[in-house]
Amino acid sequence: MNATSARAGSRRRRFLLLSVAGLLVAAVIAGWFVTAREVPGGQDRSRGDLPAVHPVPQHAMSQPGESVPLTGRVHVVAAPGTDQPALDALLDVIAAAGGTAEVVAALETPSEGSSAVYLGLGGEASPARSALRALGPERPEDGEALERAEGYVVATGKLEGIPSAVLVGHDGDGVFHSVQTLRQLLKAGSVPALHVSDWPLMETRGVIEGFYGTPWSHQARLDVISFAGRQKMNTYIYSPKDDPLLREKWRDLYSAQELTELQELIEAAEANHLRFTYALSPGIDVCYSRDSDLEDAITKLESLYGLGVRSFVIPLDDIATKVQCPEDVEEFGSGPSNLAKAQATFLNSLQERFTAGKQDLQPLETVPTFYTGSGSNPYKKQLGRLLDPAIVVQWTGEDVVSHRITRDSAQAARRSYGREDAGRPIVIWDNYPVNDFSQDHLFMAPLIGRDADLYQSVQGIVTNPMIQPYLSLPAIFNYADFSWNGPAYRPQESMDAALAQLAGPDQQVQAAVRAFVDLNQDWQDDELTPSAPALRRDIRQFWSDYDAGKAPSGDLLHRAELLQKLPELLPRMAEPGFAVDAEHWAAAAAEYGRGVQEAIAMLEAARRGDSESVAESRRNVNSALTAAGARTQPTLALGVVTPVFGDGELKTFLEDALRRAPGT
């Protein structure tokens, strides 16, 4: 999506994994809290003191009984054929807890003082399902979890005389998700007595690398995939706008080296239970009626199918709004309605010819040329009437960058892109926190403005992140929470949990991360996401105290000191990529922090009548302003830009201080 043109002149803003560490970080995330959520259409059965789990489960409760230690000898009971990534992840959890795992197909003579973890599918004859039944009568929510795609149950109790945890999934995805929940439930190496029954509310939950600008590195993609898998997402869409082989050179095939890297991404996605989706964007110069172009598209998709890709999107966004080549004009006519006719013909032929004989493909998806707004128009009517009803449409909401997406709006979009007698399946391509239209900014506010019951109208939602992959992880965490269980999603709780996980257990590092993120809240032009809210509060308090003739509280000075330490503290995070992405913003923030400290000293000196100190501090403030305003952040097409944050609050404070001090 070309958010640049959509936003030009319309707003005041100038808008831009991880195998994260440590099983004990889960306790740092939000401490221990009462999980109590009302499940849509059901009873509030989720009660009890449990560690924070994200995404929030549909049902989770503590129960009487002893905890299950994973610090000693642990029998892992897994039938042959148990999902290997889930088993590997479980062994990692046990090793990180300090335990020694022994994988067995059945538990016959458990060692004294040992514990057990049962892992497997929820089929009637599976050992894991039998173990779950042995813990007690099956609960209604367990049945629901094990009947739903990606659902799972985690329960504890005593089996064969030893403390045991049972992890059961509806399918391989569910088994994998159960281990991700177990990872977060550990406290001091033990799983508390509990019962979790859980499943996702949205079918599609993931990340689309769909921005303009410098594409992510191969390693960053691998790290994002790993992070998304841990947060129970299931989709990664490869669609970087500046990969020429997706758009400008879409007919060209990948080189051997490029295919090797794509193969690694596909395998990483599979290992993390994500669907790797490839997006081919031929719309810039395709001739929809030309057989050779259709053949080229099929050949390209076949090359990816041969690597193991089973999910494809054909984006037709950000292109001319009428057919271009003479053959298309002759075949379909001109105008938006005839563009829809041409595109439907091309997509239907691609669907029919490429999918023939392939039983393992996901439904084909597309991004229409008119991909915003819920209302109908001639293009949407024609597309809805002619396009194969099985083809899924990706939609961005009422705008290119939609500050609000409602259930009613999504329902209307389903009708607009569908046939009169049936709506079309919709996946939201959500342009947050993408910053390609404002590459001097970062957007790190929590995800807000999406209806909690949006899952009732759409098949799913994918987040389009920033050019900076590791700085996008907090928002990806939010989307994982929201798409799994929208009614339980709490934006600030989710953001706090994400930042704590990325920062690691060091309290000073966590404070630095929070201060950095606070500077980069400026996304929506409304009261829900004020720019730099904590900084604003400290600045308001400072001026209030100063104008009243009182000694300032010290909060602003403390924040200034913390900002100066960002270049030192951020590299100590559990996720080191965060600091690399933040380097130039952190350096500029440190200069502003120095400037604020000097400005406060300047104002204090002015009150004392110390003109010499005022003059020295004034020089230092101006020096900090100059350094903070330097162009340091490279971009793909815009040259080197100045990192901007806080919507100018820091700069404004320093300028105000200079005006208030004598000698201006």
Side-chain angles (χ1 to χ4, degrees):
M1 283 51 180
N2 192 342
T4 305
S5 59
R7 284 302 192 81
S10 66
R11 303 194 175 282
R12 70 173 169 80
R13 313 191 279 277
R14 297 154 294 175
F15 307 133
L16 202 266
L17 247 187
L18 129 181
S19 297
V20 201
L23 299 172
L24 296 181
V25 170
V28 177
I29 287 175
W32 297 82
F33 81 120
V34 176
T35 301
R37 303 293 186 206
E38 184 174 336
V39 179
Q43 300 292 318
D44 179 6
R45 305 188 189 93
S46 305
R47 302 175 187 274
D49 292 332
L50 293 177
V53 174
H54 291 271
V56 176
Q58 305 299 335
H59 299 270
M61 60 185 298
S62 60
Q63 59 186 15
E66 60 185 283
S67 61
V68 180
L70 301 184
T71 53
R73 186 175 184 82
V74 182
H75 303 281
V76 175
V77 185
T82 297
D83 181 77
Q84 191 62 47
L87 182 56
D88 291 341
L90 176 58
L91 296 178
D92 287 344
V93 169
I94 294 169
T100 302
E102 176 194 10
V103 181
V104 297
L107 186 57
E108 296 175 353
T109 55
S111 307
E112 184 177 351
S114 64
S115 56
V117 179
Y118 293 77
L119 180 72
L121 294 172
E124 292 299 318
S126 78
R129 186 67 177 270
S130 298
L132 180 62
R133 289 198 178 104
L135 291 176
E138 187 168 287
R139 307 174 186 211
E141 54 266 30
D142 290 353
E144 188 169 8
L146 297 179
E147 289 171 2
R148 291 175 176 255
E150 301 186 66
Y152 69 91
V153 175
V154 175
T156 62
K158 213 160 202 180
L159 295 171
E160 303 295 335
I162 61 174
S164 302
V166 178
L167 283 64
V168 193
H170 166 82
D171 47 24
D173 294 333
V175 175
F176 184 78
H177 297 331
S178 73
V179 179
Q180 307 316 315
T181 291
L182 183 76
R183 187 190 305 276
Q184 298 183 61
L185 290 169
L186 284 174
K187 182 183 181 184
S190 293
V191 184
L194 53 79
H195 199 105
V196 177
S197 308
D198 196 17
W199 60 87
L201 296 181
M202 284 192 183
E203 178 183 339
T204 298
R205 313 175 308 282
V207 176
I208 179 166
E209 185 186 343
F211 50 80
Y212 294 88
T214 305
W216 289 347
S217 70
H218 184 62
Q219 185 60 51
R221 290 175 179 139
L222 293 171
D223 289 342
V224 169
I225 286 170
S226 175
F227 182 83
R230 284 201 175 200
Q231 299 311 129
K232 305 188 182 85
M233 283 181 155
N234 65 3
T235 302
Y236 167 75
I237 303 177
Y238 180 81
S239 186
K241 288 293 196 289
D242 285 301
D243 177 346
L245 295 186
L246 290 181
R247 289 173 67 83
E248 289 86 356
K249 299 179 180 179
W250 64 270
R251 297 174 181 85
D252 294 355
L253 299 179
Y254 287 98
S255 68
Q257 176 60 37
E258 291 164 333
L259 288 175
T260 297
E261 289 196 349
L262 284 170
Q263 182 76 66
E264 289 178 6
L265 294 179
I266 295 162
E267 291 173 356
E270 182 179 1
N272 286 278
H273 281 262
L274 270 70
R275 180 170 60 242
F276 182 95
T277 300
Y278 182 84
L280 183 68
S281 302
I284 291 177
D285 63 357
V286 69
C287 193
Y288 298 106
S289 59
R290 190 181 294 157
D291 284 343
S292 61
D293 276 1
L294 179 63
E295 288 295 338
D296 284 341
I298 292 172
T299 299
K300 187 67 167 280
L301 299 189
E302 288 285 4
S303 72
L304 277 299
Y305 182 84
L307 289 182
V309 179
R310 297 296 182 265
S311 178
F312 295 91
V313 185
I314 308 297
L316 299 170
D317 56 316
D318 300 344
I319 61 173
T321 55
K322 58 183 180 180
V323 294
Q324 298 294 294
C325 69
E327 299 101 302
D328 282 351
V329 174
E330 182 178 351
E331 177 78 16
F332 303 110
S334 60
S337 177
N338 293 313
L339 175 64
K341 185 188 300 183
Q343 290 176 346
T345 300
F346 181 82
L347 290 168
N348 290 345
S349 297
L350 190 63
Q351 166 91 329
E352 179 181 355
R353 293 179 55 181
F354 174 63
T355 62
K358 298 182 178 74
Q359 303 301 316
D360 53 356
L361 284 175
Q362 294 291 318
L364 184 66
E365 300 185 27
T366 189
V367 183
T369 302
F370 294 87
Y371 53 79
T372 68
S374 59
S376 186
N377 60 30
Y379 171 90
K380 293 179 184 178
K381 277 186 179 177
Q382 188 77 296
L383 191 72
R385 187 174 68 84
L386 297 177
L387 190 64
D388 186 321
I391 295 177
V392 177
V393 159
Q394 293 185 3
W395 171 74
T396 64
E398 296 294 345
D399 300 294
V400 178
V401 179
S402 295
H403 288 176
R404 304 286 180 270
I405 302 179
T406 68
R407 175 187 170 188
D408 289 345
S409 175
Q411 193 64 32
R414 290 186 71 245
R415 294 191 295 268
S416 295
Y417 290 107
R419 298 182 177 180
E420 291 184 4
D421 58 340
R424 182 172 299 280
I426 294 283
V427 168
I428 298 172
W429 169 323
D430 204 348
N431 277 316
Y432 185 75
V434 65
N435 63 343
D436 55 7
F437 55 90
S438 186
Q439 295 182 34
D440 54 355
H441 279 74
L442 303 173
F443 302 129
M444 304 192 72
L447 170 69
I448 63 167
R450 280 81 182 113
D451 280 359
D453 58 356
L454 197 56
Y455 69 93
Q456 296 182 4
S457 297
V458 300
Q459 177 177 302
I461 189 169
V462 292
T463 168
N464 188 17
M466 293 186 282
I467 295 168
Q468 293 75 24
Y470 299 97
L471 297 183
S472 300
L473 296 180
I476 292 172
F477 189 103
N478 290 168
Y479 275 93
D481 279 6
F482 173 77
S483 57
W484 184 277
N485 188 356
Y489 173 67
R490 302 293 181 266
Q492 196 56 56
E493 287 181 15
S494 179
M495 180 57 71
D496 290 345
L499 297 181
Q501 184 183 111
L502 294 167
D506 187 308
Q507 295 294 314
Q508 192 177 23
V509 172
Q510 288 193 26
V513 173
R514 289 194 298 270
F516 179 80
V517 169
D518 176 70
L519 294 177
N520 296 288
Q521 300 289 296
D522 183 34
W523 180 57
Q524 305 207 40
D525 291 321
D526 58 33
E527 70 282 357
L528 295 181
T529 53
S531 170
L535 172 65
R536 277 187 173 184
R537 180 195 63 223
D538 291 347
I539 289 175
R540 282 196 304 267
Q541 186 62 52
F542 177 88
W543 286 127
S544 176
D545 293 341
Y546 184 83
D547 291 339
K550 299 189 299 184
S553 68
D555 290 344
L556 182 59
L557 181 59
H558 174 72
R559 184 170 297 276
E561 292 168 348
L562 187 58
L563 294 182
Q564 291 179 77
K565 294 179 181 177
L566 288 179
E568 166 199 340
L569 292 174
L570 294 185
R572 288 162 44 185
M573 293 173 62
E575 174 42 68
F578 191 103
V580 175
D581 279 356
E583 177 185 2
H584 299 298
W585 279 270
E591 290 295 341
Y592 274 123
R594 177 171 70 91
V596 169
Q597 189 173 27
E598 290 289 348
I600 292 172
M602 178 181 67
L603 292 168
E604 291 174 348
R607 278 193 166 165
R608 296 193 309 268
D610 184 350
S611 58
E612 185 176 336
S613 295
V614 168
E616 181 181 359
S617 291
R618 180 183 300 282
R619 287 192 295 271
N620 291 336
V621 170
N622 282 316
S623 169
L625 275 169
T626 300
R631 295 175 179 268
T632 57
Q633 176 61 32
T635 67
L636 184 63
L638 303 176
V640 182
V641 299
T642 299
V644 177
F645 38 61
D647 199 36
E649 281 86 0
L650 286 164
K651 185 172 185 287
T652 299
F653 174 81
L654 296 183
E655 291 170 345
D656 287 348
L658 288 169
R659 280 193 294 270
R660 286 174 178 243
T664 56

